[in-house]
Amino acid sequence: MEECLIIEGGRRLEGAVTVKGAKNAALPIMAATLLATEDCTLNGVPNLQDVATMAAVLHSLGLKIERRADTLYVSPAEAIVPEVPAELMRQLRASNLVMGPLLGRYHFFRVPYPGGCAIGSRPMDLHLKGFRALGAEVRESQGYIEARTAGLKGTAVYLDFPSVGATENLMMAAVLAEGVTILHNVAKEPEIVDLQNFLNSLGARIQGAGQDTIRIEGVERLKGSVYTIIPDRIEAGTFLAAAAGTTGDVFVSGCRPEHLMAVLAKLDEMGAKISLEKGGIRLKGPRRLKAVDCKTLPYPGFPTDMQPQLMALMTVAEGTSVMVESIFENRFKHAAELRRLGADIKIEGRVAVINGVPDLSGGPVEATDLRAGAALVIAGLMASGETRVEGLAHIDRGYEQLEVRLRSLGAEIRRRRLQSGEK
C-alpha cells in the first residue's frame, strides 16, 4: 500500500544532522566493481531504493553482493551474464552504467533502454558514440542496445555536452582498453572525481577528473579495493535549504563545503547566515528570505538537482525570483504542486517567475520525481497547517529515512499509509 508524509508546518529546525554517502557516486562505483578481479568493500553506501536496484542489477549479471550497515561487500562473478533484465532497467536510469564496464572487460552487452525520473530527455547517443569511437560495434533495435568488440582501443573522444553518465560510462569502458584514451568536454562533478579515485584504487591509471579533459592509460587488469564513498552534496543542500526556509539553526555534518559553493552562494544571497565549521556547515535562516535569480548549469554551476528545493524557498522570499532550468526541459512539475500550497509561480518554457508570498498553506501534494519530492517536503515544513506529501517512493529513492532525520531537528513529520479512497 502507498505511503505518504504528514507534515505539520511552522516548526523551526534546530540541531545537527549527518549527511549520508552520495547516491550519485555510489551507483557508478557499484557498476565499476564489474571491472574488479578481486573483492571490493564499499563504505558509506546509503541504504536507498536506487542502491538496492543497482545491487539487484549487479546480482543479475553474476556478482555476489552483501550489505552490512552502510557497507557493501562485492565479490567478482564466476560467470557473467552480460544482459540486464528489462524490469530492473526500467526502475533505474543509472543501471545503464553497467554498459561501460561490461564492454571494457567482457567485450559485450545487451541491455534494454533504462528508466528513471521523467524530468526530460536524457538520450543515450553520447554514450554510444563514445563506445563506437573506442572500437565497439553498437546496434539498437526493439528497445535494446547491443554492443560487442574484439577489444577496445584508446582514442580521443569529444562529448557534445558534458554528460555525467556518458563521462562515467566511457571512463569505465576505457580503463582496460589498449593504449591511451582522452575524453574531452567531460562532466566535472565531484562524483566523477570519486569514480576516478575508486578506479585508480583498483589499479587504473586515470587523471584529470574534475577538469575539462580526462586521460586514461589502459591497463591489463584491475584488482580489488576498500573504498569510502564521498558525502552526498545534494542531501546536504536539501537540509540546508530546509533550515533556511524555517528560520532554523542547523549544523550539517560530514559534508564537503567545496562541493556546495554554488548552493551556498544562493542561500547566502537569500539572507541565510552560513559558517563553515570543523566537519561541516552551519546555517541560520533569516526572518524572511530575499528573492534571487538562478540558472542551473553543469558543475561547478548551480545543480539542477537543487533547483526544486531552491524554488520552494523562492515561493516565500520577499520580491520576485527567476529560475532558469538549462539542463532538463521537463523539470518544473513541482511548480503546479507548490501552487496548491499558495505559491505564485508562472512558467514559460524553461523559465519560472516566482512572486514571493508571505505564507504557504498546507494541503495535499504529490511528488512527481525525487527532487520535486524534497521541494514539497521543504514547502510543507514552511507552510501553516497540515501538508500531505504523496509519491513517497520517489523520495525514498534518494533520501534515507528523511522524515526520521527531520524529526531529530524538531520537525513534526510522520510517515503513514494512505487509506483506500484517500488519493
Side-chain angles (χ1 to χ4, degrees), residues 340-342 359-363 383-387:
R340 289 185 184 214
L341 304 180
D359 295 293
L360 298 178
S361 300
S384 58
E386 183 182 283
T387 298

Side-chain angles (χ1 to χ4, degrees), residues 8 34 98 105 128 186 195 213 226 236 292 304 317 359 365 399 411:
E8 193 64 45
L34 282 161
V98 301
R105 185 172 176 199
L128 308 187
V186 292
L195 177 61
T213 302
V226 177
V292 293
T304 181
D359 295 293
V365 289
Y399 296 94

Side-chain angles (χ1 to χ4, degrees), residues 215-242:
R215 184 182 189 276
I216 304 155
E217 188 181 332
V219 297
E220 285 190 11
R221 69 186 285 276
L222 296 176
K223 53 181 180 30
S225 172
V226 177
Y227 192 80
T228 300
I229 307 291
I230 58 170
D232 195 316
R233 62 195 170 96
I234 304 302
E235 182 179 271
T238 301
F239 281 120
L240 291 168

